[in-house]
Amino acid sequence: MPSLKDLKIRIESVKSTRKITKAMQMVAAAKLRRAQEAAEAARPYSERMGAVMGKLTAASAGSETAPKLLRGTGKDDVHLLVVATAERGLCGGFNSSIVKAARLKAQQLKAAGKTVKILTVGKKGREQLRRDLGEAMVAHVDLSEVKRIGYVNAKGIADDLLSRFNAGEFDVATLFFNTFESVISQVPTEVQLIPAKFENEGSDQDGVTYDYEPDEDEILAELLPRAVATQVFTGLLENSASEQGARMSAMDNATRNAGDMIDKLTIEFNRSRQAAITNELIEIISGAEAL
């Protein structure tokens, strides 16, 4: 049974831990608001870009002059998985859910006889994937010094992907990240970046169709790299909001658990103290009676 001194030291230690988790929860809450606003502000642009690209790609479907970024290499032998996670931990299952989705995809591709390559964005994803997929990792993007995600960060990643694609290093690139829904809900998401893939929503609601000048292929050659960068940027923003939401929830749970532990330790401390006092009284009374 722990001594009173040991219990007192442990209670003070847990109280210090509770102060830290409470502070981290408040910091995450402040960062979450900014990250959520940025993610929600980017969604309309991303959705509109996807709609425009969907119409353009539908018009160029099957064209031999369509950009390579749209047509692809004609094969799907080599797959590059871009796994975007956080640079830091203490955010619940945020990182592990993304890694789990990427690992499952890698296993499916390998079972189908495909070659898998992995590019990680964020230290935590690299640490987890390196254990069993270390031989497949080809590059890593470090964003630990970036205080606030900007389009320039996404463009750097997109340019690297495009250069690797043009060099023939892979046939298909897929991005993995978490989509932010709420503080307690972040959904692992998989988006194909290359060959560029967009859903065709048809003509607008007013029935208007469009003719493009210059032709669709020239416009696509200009817009496709920007569309890929936009998809990466959207994924990074969603990830940032999801990370802060997951960290806020995890630190709130940790703070509650620390409080429960303090209550239990305090009860145990009071019982031990009461038992010690009772034993002392018994010894004094027994000594007095012996005299």
Side-chain angles (χ1 to χ4, degrees):
M1 184 176 181
S3 65
L4 291 176
K5 183 178 180 180
D6 293 337
L7 288 172
K8 189 173 183 180
I9 292 174
R10 192 174 179 189
I11 290 172
E12 293 301 322
S13 176
V14 176
K15 285 183 177 179
S16 298
T17 301
R18 183 173 63 174
K19 290 180 181 179
I20 294 172
T21 56
K22 184 63 176 179
M24 292 183 67
Q25 177 190 353
M26 295 174 67
V27 171
K31 290 183 177 180
L32 171 63
R33 184 174 63 180
R34 295 194 298 268
Q36 182 177 354
E37 289 173 354
E40 291 176 346
R43 286 174 184 172
Y45 177 80
S46 177
E47 291 171 358
R48 189 57 182 168
M49 170 69 84
V52 171
M53 297 303 296
K55 294 181 177 64
L56 283 169
T57 54
S60 294
S63 174
E64 295 182 356
T65 60
K68 180 182 177 182
L69 195 56
L70 179 62
R71 290 184 288 110
T73 61
K75 302 180 294 181
D76 67 340
D77 297 333
V78 182
H79 287 250
L80 177 66
L81 308 185
V82 184
V83 185
T85 57
E87 294 288 346
R88 300 171 182 83
L90 298 177
C91 48
F94 168 77
N95 292 308
S96 59
S97 63
I98 301 173
V99 171
K100 182 179 179 181
R103 186 179 284 118
L104 179 61
K105 181 71 172 181
Q107 291 172 350
Q108 293 173 346
L109 291 171
K110 285 187 174 183
K114 310 296 184 182
T115 300
V116 175
K117 297 182 178 180
I118 297 176
L119 185 152
T120 54
V121 182
K123 183 174 66 175
K124 290 301 176 181
R126 180 183 61 175
E127 291 176 352
Q128 295 186 38
L129 289 171
R130 189 164 49 188
R131 300 169 189 168
D132 53 351
L133 294 170
E135 74 285 352
M137 299 179 69
V138 296
H140 173 69
V141 178
D142 186 359
L143 299 178
S144 58
E145 300 299 324
V146 178
K147 300 300 182 183
R148 191 170 184 177
I149 296 295
Y151 181 77
V152 64
N153 305 116
K155 190 175 186 305
I157 297 172
D159 290 344
D160 182 36
L161 292 176
L162 294 176
S163 64
R164 291 177 182 275
F165 177 68
N166 292 329
E169 294 186 18
F170 63 87
D171 301 315
V172 180
T174 307
L175 175 66
F176 292 85
F177 61 95
N178 265 340
T179 298
F180 178 80
E181 288 191 348
S182 68
V183 174
I184 60 174
S185 177
Q186 300 88 34
V187 182
T189 305
E190 173 185 336
V191 174
Q192 180 175 309
L193 297 175
I194 302 173
K197 188 176 180 181
F198 305 94
E199 293 185 4
N200 178 27
E201 299 180 358
S203 60
D204 289 343
Q205 294 180 354
D206 56 6
V208 177
T209 57
Y210 296 90
D211 289 328
Y212 297 94
E213 181 66 31
D215 61 22
E216 290 87 347
D217 293 342
E218 292 186 41
I219 296 175
L220 279 173
E222 178 68 24
L223 286 184
L224 279 173
R226 185 177 301 179
V228 172
T230 299
Q231 288 180 316
V232 174
F233 184 44
T234 301
L236 292 180
L237 290 178
E238 294 286 348
N239 244 13
S240 179
S242 297
E243 176 190 353
Q244 299 306 329
R247 179 170 289 113
M248 178 181 170
S249 179
M251 291 301 100
D252 179 56
N253 290 334
T255 302
R256 293 173 184 270
N257 291 337
D260 293 340
M261 185 176 292
I262 290 171
D263 292 340
K264 292 179 181 178
L265 289 172
T266 301
I267 292 174
E268 186 177 353
F269 175 83
N270 291 336
R271 286 176 177 173
S272 297
R273 186 182 178 189
Q274 185 178 11
I277 294 173
T278 301
N279 288 333
E280 289 179 4
L281 288 175
I282 291 174
E283 291 175 0
I284 292 171
I285 293 172
S286 298
E289 290 178 350
L291 293 176

